[in-house]
Amino acid sequence: MIKRLVFGAIASMVASAGPALAGPYFNPEYNGANYDGEYLGGTVTLDIGYEGGGEGYSWYVQGGPAIVMPEGADNEVEFAGKFGGSVDVDSEGKYSVYGELSGITGDEFGWGSKLGAKVKF
């Protein structure tokens, strides 16, 4: 029940947010995990970040507390952070590539990466 309440509160904050501007921002996020149809738990991050950029590129850095909620175990508070950016690959900004590196503290430091492309219509 608590996990649904947290997720609902975060979803309503995100839905009511206005347009993004360069500079500081707040980024609440919920990530859940399932394996073979079984819910394993989730993590709520409450990051404060800063973004910037220029002609044809953008970047961001963010971090804050992460509430780790494994199914059937006690919740823990860790620290999570990420940084990344994107670069246009054409002069009109229609095509871009992006990347991100992220990490979270805990018994063992966990990290992740993301690489992708975007096409604007």
Short mmCIF file of all heavy atoms in Angstrom, two decimals, residues 79-81 102-112:
data_model
loop_
_atom_site.label_atom_id
_atom_site.label_comp_id
_atom_site.label_asym_id
_atom_site.label_seq_id
_atom_site.Cartn_x
_atom_site.Cartn_y
_atom_site.Cartn_z
N PHE A 79 22.34 6.68 -1.59
CA PHE A 79 22.55 7.86 -2.41
C PHE A 79 22.70 7.42 -3.85
O PHE A 79 23.43 6.46 -4.14
CB PHE A 79 23.80 8.64 -1.98
CG PHE A 79 24.03 9.87 -2.80
CD1 PHE A 79 23.33 11.04 -2.52
CD2 PHE A 79 24.89 9.85 -3.88
CE1 PHE A 79 23.52 12.17 -3.30
CE2 PHE A 79 25.08 10.98 -4.66
CZ PHE A 79 24.38 12.15 -4.37
N ALA A 80 21.99 8.10 -4.76
CA ALA A 80 22.07 7.78 -6.18
C ALA A 80 22.40 9.05 -6.96
O ALA A 80 22.07 10.16 -6.54
CB ALA A 80 20.76 7.19 -6.68
N GLY A 81 23.02 8.88 -8.09
CA GLY A 81 23.34 10.02 -8.95
C GLY A 81 23.52 9.58 -10.38
O GLY A 81 23.67 8.39 -10.67
N SER A 102 25.01 6.15 -14.39
CA SER A 102 24.33 6.30 -13.11
C SER A 102 24.94 5.35 -12.09
O SER A 102 25.58 4.36 -12.45
CB SER A 102 22.83 6.01 -13.26
OG SER A 102 22.63 4.67 -13.70
N GLY A 103 24.74 5.67 -10.81
CA GLY A 103 25.25 4.83 -9.75
C GLY A 103 24.43 4.98 -8.48
O GLY A 103 23.71 5.97 -8.31
N ILE A 104 24.52 3.98 -7.61
CA ILE A 104 23.83 4.00 -6.32
C ILE A 104 24.71 3.31 -5.29
O ILE A 104 25.36 2.30 -5.59
CB ILE A 104 22.44 3.33 -6.41
CG1 ILE A 104 21.65 3.49 -5.10
CG2 ILE A 104 22.55 1.88 -6.82
CD1 ILE A 104 20.19 3.11 -5.21
N THR A 105 24.75 3.89 -4.08
CA THR A 105 25.52 3.29 -2.99
C THR A 105 24.76 2.09 -2.44
O THR A 105 23.62 1.84 -2.79
CB THR A 105 25.77 4.31 -1.87
OG1 THR A 105 24.51 4.72 -1.33
CG2 THR A 105 26.54 5.51 -2.37
N GLY A 106 25.38 1.37 -1.57
CA GLY A 106 24.77 0.20 -0.94
C GLY A 106 25.87 -0.71 -0.43
O GLY A 106 27.03 -0.29 -0.32
N ASP A 107 25.52 -1.97 -0.14
CA ASP A 107 26.54 -2.92 0.29
C ASP A 107 27.63 -3.03 -0.76
O ASP A 107 28.80 -3.17 -0.45
CB ASP A 107 25.92 -4.30 0.55
CG ASP A 107 24.99 -4.27 1.75
OD1 ASP A 107 25.15 -3.39 2.61
OD2 ASP A 107 24.09 -5.13 1.80
N GLU A 108 27.22 -2.99 -2.01
CA GLU A 108 28.14 -2.92 -3.14
C GLU A 108 27.68 -1.78 -4.03
O GLU A 108 26.49 -1.61 -4.25
CB GLU A 108 28.13 -4.22 -3.94
CG GLU A 108 28.68 -5.41 -3.18
CD GLU A 108 28.69 -6.66 -4.04
OE1 GLU A 108 28.69 -6.54 -5.29
OE2 GLU A 108 28.69 -7.75 -3.48
N PHE A 109 28.62 -0.98 -4.54
CA PHE A 109 28.26 0.12 -5.43
C PHE A 109 27.69 -0.45 -6.72
O PHE A 109 28.29 -1.31 -7.35
CB PHE A 109 29.50 0.99 -5.72
CG PHE A 109 29.20 2.15 -6.63
CD1 PHE A 109 28.55 3.26 -6.13
CD2 PHE A 109 29.56 2.13 -7.96
CE1 PHE A 109 28.26 4.34 -6.95
CE2 PHE A 109 29.28 3.19 -8.80
CZ PHE A 109 28.63 4.31 -8.29
N GLY A 110 26.50 0.01 -7.10
CA GLY A 110 25.90 -0.43 -8.35
C GLY A 110 25.94 0.69 -9.36
O GLY A 110 25.81 1.87 -9.02
N TRP A 111 26.13 0.35 -10.62
CA TRP A 111 26.16 1.39 -11.64
C TRP A 111 25.45 0.89 -12.89
O TRP A 111 25.23 -0.31 -13.08
CB TRP A 111 27.59 1.81 -11.95
CG TRP A 111 28.41 0.76 -12.62
CD1 TRP A 111 29.07 -0.25 -12.03
CD2 TRP A 111 28.63 0.62 -14.02
NE1 TRP A 111 29.70 -1.04 -12.96
CE2 TRP A 111 29.45 -0.50 -14.20
CE3 TRP A 111 28.23 1.34 -15.15
CZ2 TRP A 111 29.85 -0.93 -15.46
CZ3 TRP A 111 28.65 0.92 -16.39
CH2 TRP A 111 29.45 -0.20 -16.53
N GLY A 112 25.07 1.83 -13.73
CA GLY A 112 24.40 1.50 -14.97
C GLY A 112 24.76 2.51 -16.04
O GLY A 112 25.32 3.57 -15.76
#
